[in-house]
Amino acid sequence: MAEKALMQLFRKKVKETSREPELPLVTPAERPLAVERMLFVCGLHRSGTTLLEHLLRSHFRIAGLQAPVPENEGQHLQDVYPAAREFGGPGRFAFSPQMRMAQPATDPQTAQRRLLCCWAPWTQGEDRILLEKSPPNLTKIGWLRSVFPGSRFVIMTRDPRVVACATRKWSNTSIEELVYHWHIAHEAALEDESSDCLRLRYEDLCENPSAALEAISLFANLDPREVPLETEGRFADIRNTNAKYLETLAPTRFGSGSWQEFQYQLD
């Protein structure tokens, strides 16, 4: 499908799923957003990153993005780097070399200013830390680190087989290809991983949300809210839903992959 047709389809989907008026998505402010530090959530589609974002914003004083785009992802609201949809979207984007940004950034100060100008109109909250969550963050941690010194990165993972099952409807590729995509995306994250990164498994978040949030709070130096914000309906019941996906799969041996580093055994 031609790029123009893809964009038309994407905007149609945004319009159908949003209660907001249809607006230009890249509407940079004249001045960049003033933030002390960025907190990036890095995880593939259907890995639980939206749940984590909601919990973090509910319990801690951090700003976030709110816009008529899929799950308020900042990748759709800027023109500094390509969004995942330009290279196949869910289950495909990490295969493209363009998603692996060269690091350090050629002109980090210009990139930072432009991103903060682009995100400013869509930011809710006036706190010192801005949370941004987009799946391609997994493949550009090193680049983001050079553009936003002092940032913190939460690398969120979920069983690759479950992520594959949940995204197959979008990618129209096989489970095997999707599991390999998981491997490629997380291999990039492992190459960029440093002391400013914290790993979090979806399974552990569901098992003990309080412990997971406390760990992130200490890691990213987050200030708790005096009263947590109201919980959105779809996040009111936090439970691990992996089983319903895994029971649909035939027994398959996937062998070795980056998933082993995150304590997933697929044999």
Side-chain angles (χ1 to χ4, degrees):
M1 186 181 295
E3 182 178 355
K4 182 177 180 180
L6 279 173
M7 285 299 298
Q8 290 175 340
L9 180 61
F10 170 74
R11 290 183 178 276
K12 180 175 183 293
K13 184 66 175 176
V14 168
K15 185 176 182 180
E16 290 174 349
T17 58
S18 175
R19 296 180 182 178
E20 300 292 335
E22 186 174 7
L23 298 170
L25 297 181
V26 180
T27 56
E30 293 184 2
R31 295 183 179 180
L33 185 70
V35 295
E36 179 181 311
R37 181 158 35 90
M38 295 292 302
L39 173 60
F40 290 101
V41 173
C42 313
L44 289 181
H45 300 87
R46 303 308 301 273
S47 291
T49 57
T50 301
L51 167 63
L52 177 61
E53 177 193 33
H54 178 80
L55 292 174
L56 289 173
R57 291 193 61 192
S58 295
H59 289 81
F60 301 103
R61 292 179 53 82
I62 52 179
L65 302 176
Q66 186 72 41
V69 295
E71 301 298 357
N72 301 306
E73 294 168 3
Q75 63 167 328
H76 303 302
L77 306 172
Q78 52 75 45
D79 55 9
V80 176
Y81 54 80
R85 67 174 180 266
E86 297 180 34
F87 296 97
R92 292 174 176 267
F93 73 85
F95 290 134
S96 298
Q98 294 89 335
M99 289 281 96
R100 192 76 168 97
M101 304 284 284
Q103 52 176 296
T106 303
D107 189 351
Q109 292 184 338
T110 298
Q112 179 188 116
R113 179 180 176 84
R114 181 65 179 181
L115 283 170
L116 291 178
C117 283
C118 287
W119 288 337
W122 305 107
T123 299
Q124 285 192 346
E126 299 179 356
D127 298 293
R128 60 191 179 89
I129 296 175
L130 173 63
L131 185 153
E132 198 286 308
K133 170 195 69 71
S134 295
N137 291 348
L138 267 179
T139 63
K140 57 170 65 67
I141 291 175
W143 185 87
L144 290 169
R145 178 184 292 130
S146 70
V147 173
F148 295 101
S151 295
R152 295 293 181 268
F153 303 87
V154 177
I155 301 175
M156 188 164 188
T157 60
R158 188 179 186 180
D159 189 309
R161 297 164 297 182
V162 173
V163 173
C165 288
T167 54
R168 182 166 46 178
K169 61 185 177 182
W170 295 324
S171 68
N172 293 317
T173 53
S174 69
I175 293 295
E176 290 76 16
E177 288 174 295
L178 287 163
V179 169
Y180 186 59
H181 179 265
W182 194 105
H183 162 72
I184 292 297
H186 290 83
E187 188 175 56
L190 288 172
E191 290 177 2
D192 289 347
E193 188 179 32
S194 188
S195 59
D196 55 5
C197 298
L198 177 72
R199 299 182 186 182
L200 175 65
R201 296 177 5 131
Y202 163 85
E203 295 80 6
D204 297 331
L205 174 64
C206 291
E207 182 177 352
N208 195 335
S210 297
L213 293 179
E214 182 179 2
I216 296 174
S217 172
L218 293 173
F219 165 72
N221 190 25
L222 305 180
D223 297 326
R225 295 186 185 276
E226 294 182 5
V227 179
L229 301 179
E230 184 178 355
T231 300
E232 188 177 329
R234 59 176 171 157
F235 303 126
D237 182 18
I238 302 174
R239 53 193 174 92
N240 187 332
T241 60
N242 284 3
K244 74 175 184 179
Y245 294 102
L246 293 175
E247 66 186 13
T248 68
L249 292 177
T252 304
R253 295 178 62 89
F254 290 97
S256 301
S258 60
W259 48 78
Q260 293 172 296
E261 182 67 25
F262 295 97
Q263 302 177 32
Y264 296 105
Q265 298 299 325
L266 307 190
D267 292 334

